[in-house]
Amino acid sequence: MITRRRFAGSLAGAATSAIGCGRGPSSAGPGRRVIVLGLDGLDPNIVQALMDEGRMPHFRRLAEMGTFLRLGTTMPALSPVAWSTFITGTDPGSHTIADFIMRDRFTYEPYFSIWESTEPSRTLRMGDYKIALSGPEVVNKRIGVPFWTYLSDAGISSTVIKIPTNFPVDGTATRALSGMGTPDLADSFGRFNYYTTDEGESYPGLTGGVIHHVALRDGRIEAELSGPENPLRVDQAETTLPFRVVVDPIHDAVVVEIEGRKMLLEVGEYSDWAAVRFPLASALATVPGVCRFYLKQAHPHVQLYVTPINIDPSRQAMQIAHPEEVGGEIASAIGPFWTKGLPADTKALDYRVLEDEGYVKQAELILEDRLRLFEHEWERFRDGLFFFYVSSTDQDTHMLWRNMDASHPMHAASDVRFSGFIHHLYEVMDGLLGRVLPAAGDDTLVLVCSDHGFAPFGKQFHLNSWLRTEGYLKVKDEAANKEAASMEDIDWSKTAAYGCGFNGLYVNRLGREGQGIIGDREAERLTGRIASELEAIRDPETGERPVHRVYRRSEVHPGEFGSDMPELLVGYTPGYRSSSESVMGGSGSRILDINPWAWAGDHSMARDLVPGCLFSSHSIREPQPNIIDLPTTILSFFGLPKPFGMQGEALL
């Protein structure tokens, strides 16, 4: 089953390239400017409360200067969906990014929605190795023209830093760094390495990382860092890089030796960035990356965590900057930085490889990293568009909501030392706004926007388990007694409907799905019945409705590719969300249970209940703006007409 898309084959052509340093292209002459801070997941309720307390004075000033409104979002209210709408000014049925996880309609296999890689069409085999005669390709699956392309066509410069769903990095901006969707060197979602001398330490069902049980001999550990698959080998064996850990016999400290470098680490400390090179065929053919080490424990057992291996911005194994030399220029100025699109290691915290403290220390490093990047880009900005994105306001709210929310089922198991971290993060964003706010004026529009808000996620709803219980989804006879059935266990010849993705519910349509059985007329009746039944479900413990509203496809995906989208979008009530098993098409005996993960805040709920934020230095005439309106608004401010195909309206 496809649960992640690897891109090792695409590393081969760039394995030994080195990126030179240099300045990016100069800005255009004086003129109008638009400055956009894209703060992912910034919640209007939290912002309002902190403004009322006087803790976000710059946001209050911006609201008084122009407008503060709740910003309508997409359904589902997921970052790649909403930011793709922001980029193109079109609905998900037009840009085709309808979820993080979508399904191949012929094979039913789940796939990562943002990009896909292809294998070389022709290769030459030489023993255990192969040479690509036609290059592999990584393709962004988003369809549509980014709005900044129209700026470039009009001679207006654009700086687009870290915007989601922009990998591979789009080449029509003047200057850009790819954002959410950018993989690490080994995996599209990110993969950490964890080393322990405790043979009894285990993490059942772990995804997103590799556990290495290692031996301590004479105060030393000899280990290997797992890297990407080797695209030059026929068997695509995983690359590795040896390193050593020397343990202090008395103090809680170790020395990590890798690639000729020694790093002293005390317990609870992250290392600086370590440059690593994974050999492919020889020392001359390598894949460069960067990572950080974190010492969780030194005695009685050594526990050492290593972040996912990020693409080195100064020696890009895959292009994450446009022009490519921009990566080296930035790294020369501020040092290596997180290039992985979603940098925080949420899986390591979910599975408790990292505890809250280790996660928060990483979160602080990521935030410091992003602020240094901002300062570098802001200092060089002159005219045109400046877009800068922050992921921390989303990822850290996902992971630390339970620390803040005393009513959350997992609050008692959280570290209350970090109960104020989310509010602290918002105050840091206020300081970020304070850096750009003095630029606001008649000819400079300052916007702060988020793609959605946030809500608690205390209980998980197993959508496919419900469909199975109600007879809409059937499993094969041999899987009937399995505690957890996968999509591969589904009997498609008897299945009428199935869930895939965070909110998607598909009808197994005749002529569309590979083994579809439901005709068009029957599909219409079926979706109406399922929607009514879902909205009527009650939580037996609380009496609440887990499903607030079920949206029809025609409401939210009217675009030309809408027919391939889910027939229904399940909009959950705050407090509830689809289970991870259902996201990947799995089912079991449970329908409702406690969310056991550290991931305790969410937004993949009914879009009307998790709106984003919109702050504008100029007054907005529309009382109910939507994220789809923002690209048209930006183009209009520059005096450009609304392009054909854009669906939003100018708000100013």
Side-chain angles (χ1 to χ4, degrees):
M1 179 176 291
I2 300 173
T3 59
R4 58 193 184 191
R5 294 292 174 99
R6 293 189 180 275
F7 63 100
S10 301
L11 296 173
T16 58
S17 64
I19 309 303
C21 301
R23 297 291 295 176
S26 61
S27 299
R32 289 203 150 197
R33 302 186 298 177
V34 174
I35 299 161
V36 184
L37 297 181
L39 308 183
D40 203 299
L42 196 77
D43 182 74
N45 297 317
I46 297 177
V47 170
Q48 185 65 65
L50 293 178
M51 287 196 304
D52 292 344
E53 294 175 15
R55 296 172 64 179
M56 298 185 75
H58 295 111
F59 274 83
R60 175 166 289 282
R61 172 64 184 135
L62 181 55
E64 293 170 347
M65 183 186 302
T67 305
F68 166 37
L69 291 167
R70 281 156 171 71
L71 184 65
T73 186
T74 52
M75 185 63 207
L78 296 173
S79 297
V81 185
W83 287 114
S84 292
T85 289
F86 172 86
I87 290 170
T88 63
T90 61
D91 70 274
S94 298
H95 60 64
T96 73
I97 307 296
D99 202 302
F100 272 105
I101 301 297
M102 297 172 67
R103 59 83 177 97
D104 183 302
R105 63 190 177 98
F106 298 109
T107 66
Y108 302 95
E109 290 184 339
Y111 67 82
F112 183 49
S113 68
I114 296 176
W115 56 266
E116 66 178 347
S117 60
T118 61
E119 295 293 327
S121 58
R122 293 187 302 142
T123 59
L124 175 65
R125 181 166 178 169
M126 302 178 65
D128 292 334
Y129 293 90
K130 60 182 178 180
I131 299 173
L133 301 178
S134 60
E137 189 176 13
V138 179
V139 179
N140 192 315
K141 296 177 73 69
R142 188 191 69 238
I143 292 177
V145 180
F147 74 87
W148 57 79
T149 303
Y150 301 106
L151 297 179
S152 297
D153 290 345
I156 299 169
S157 67
S158 56
T159 297
V160 182
I161 304 299
K162 292 287 188 178
I163 196 167
T165 72
N166 194 31
F167 178 84
V169 63
D170 180 77
T172 61
T174 310
R175 183 179 177 90
L177 287 177
S178 63
M180 180 188 298
T182 306
D184 71 1
L185 280 186
D187 191 276
S188 56
F189 297 124
R191 191 186 73 187
F192 65 83
N193 284 277
Y194 179 71
Y195 302 83
T196 176
T197 58
D198 184 354
E199 293 183 359
E201 191 173 356
S202 66
Y203 301 90
L206 176 75
T207 60
V210 180
I211 306 300
H212 306 263
H213 287 94
V214 292
L216 178 65
R217 297 187 177 92
D218 299 324
R220 297 186 177 190
I221 296 170
E222 303 290 340
E224 290 186 331
L225 189 62
S226 297
E229 293 175 350
N230 190 335
L232 300 184
R233 287 189 61 90
V234 173
D235 59 4
Q236 292 193 321
E238 185 178 82
T239 58
T240 59
L241 184 67
F243 72 98
R244 174 181 295 165
V245 182
V246 181
V247 183
D248 189 304
I250 301 173
H251 302 98
D252 284 335
V254 303
V255 172
V256 177
E257 301 177 5
I258 188 167
E259 293 268 76
R261 180 182 179 185
K262 295 182 179 181
M263 299 177 291
L264 174 65
L265 283 179
E266 296 181 351
V267 168
E269 182 180 12
Y270 277 88
S271 72
D272 291 333
W273 286 107
V276 293
R277 293 172 298 169
F278 293 93
L280 299 181
S282 69
L284 298 177
T286 61
V287 177
V290 292
C291 61
R292 288 181 183 266
F293 292 78
Y294 174 71
L295 183 60
K296 184 177 175 182
Q297 181 177 285
H299 303 288
H301 292 287
V302 176
Q303 296 174 329
L304 183 69
Y305 159 88
V306 188
T307 65
I309 315 297
N310 280 236
I311 295 170
D312 186 340
S314 62
R315 300 175 299 162
Q316 296 163 44
M318 298 191 73
Q319 188 174 348
I320 53 92
H322 173 77
E324 194 167 357
E325 61 267 18
V326 165
E329 173 219 312
I330 296 173
S332 295
I334 70 171
F337 55 91
W338 261 278
T339 54
K340 181 175 173 288
L342 288 174
D345 199 341
T346 59
K347 285 292 186 183
L349 181 57
D350 261 343
Y351 284 94
R352 294 300 179 178
V353 173
L354 288 179
E355 300 300 332
D356 288 0
E357 182 175 4
Y359 176 86
V360 169
K361 287 179 177 179
Q362 184 183 105
E364 289 173 332
L365 289 171
I366 291 169
L367 186 57
E368 292 168 6
D369 179 292
R370 193 59 56 93
L371 294 177
R372 284 194 299 271
L373 177 60
F374 167 82
E375 290 295 341
H376 179 268
E377 293 300 307
W378 179 243
E379 286 297 322
R380 70 177 308 285
F381 174 68
R382 296 295 179 269
D383 294 291
L385 170 71
F386 180 86
F387 177 94
F388 191 87
Y389 170 85
V390 177
S391 61
S392 299
T393 39
D394 177 84
Q395 290 196 281
D396 296 345
T397 307
H398 278 300
M399 306 313 294
L400 299 172
W401 184 285
R402 65 199 156 80
N403 305 67
M404 172 185 71
D405 183 357
S407 67
H408 195 280
M410 297 299 289
H411 178 72
S414 67
D415 192 329
V416 295
R417 289 180 297 164
F418 308 113
S419 60
F421 188 83
I422 294 172
H423 291 167
H424 161 71
L425 182 58
Y426 275 55
E427 291 177 306
V428 175
M429 294 303 101
D430 188 73
L432 183 66
L433 174 58
R435 291 287 289 121
V436 305
L437 193 54
D442 291 342
D443 292 330
T444 299
L445 172 65
V446 173
L447 297 173
V448 180
C449 62
S450 63
D451 50 335
H452 51 70
F454 256 91
F457 167 31
K459 283 192 172 183
Q460 49 187 357
F461 183 78
H462 299 267
L463 176 61
N464 280 311
S465 299
W466 178 84
L467 289 169
R468 184 174 163 184
T469 299
E470 297 300 314
Y472 297 115
L473 184 152
K474 300 286 188 179
V475 298
K476 299 170 185 174
D477 292 341
E478 58 268 29
N481 295 321
K482 290 178 69 172
E483 183 177 349
S486 71
M487 213 169 221
E488 294 176 341
D489 294 317
I490 295 176
D491 183 345
W492 297 109
S493 68
K494 299 176 182 178
T495 289
Y498 61 99
C500 184
F502 285 89
N503 301 85
L505 196 159
Y506 296 83
V507 170
N508 191 24
R509 293 186 87 113
L510 186 67
R512 184 185 68 177
E513 267 76 0
Q515 301 177 56
I517 62 171
I518 304 297
D520 290 347
R521 183 173 298 179
E522 186 181 357
E524 188 64 27
R525 292 194 297 268
L526 181 67
T527 53
R529 183 167 71 249
I530 290 176
S532 297
E533 291 174 356
L534 281 170
E535 291 176 352
I537 295 172
R538 295 281 179 176
D539 184 337
E541 293 183 356
T542 65
E544 290 187 85
R545 294 169 50 225
V547 177
H548 174 76
R549 180 184 172 192
V550 179
Y551 300 78
R552 298 296 187 100
R553 180 176 64 195
S554 57
E555 295 178 69
V556 292
H557 295 157
E560 60 180 308
F561 301 101
S563 61
D564 193 37
M565 301 298 164
E567 275 73 15
L568 298 174
L569 283 301
V570 183
Y572 296 99
T573 301
Y576 300 85
R577 200 207 75 178
S578 179
S579 68
S580 298
E581 294 90 339
S582 280
V583 169
M584 300 304 297
S587 64
S589 58
R590 298 168 298 171
I591 294 176
L592 268 175
D593 60 4
I594 295 295
N595 166 29
W597 304 107
W599 185 296
D602 212 275
H603 44 79
S604 54
M605 296 147 182
R607 68 175 180 181
D608 312 287
L609 305 181
V610 284
C613 290
L614 178 61
F615 287 82
S616 170
S617 61
H618 289 218
S619 295
I620 288 176
R621 64 187 181 191
E622 170 57 52
Q624 294 182 315
N626 190 283
I627 195 167
I628 204 169
D629 300 318
L630 296 185
T632 305
T633 301
I634 293 169
L635 294 177
S636 176
F637 190 80
F638 283 112
L640 300 181
K642 176 180 173 179
F644 177 79
M646 270 196 185
Q647 298 165 305
E649 301 298 330
L651 298 173
L652 302 181

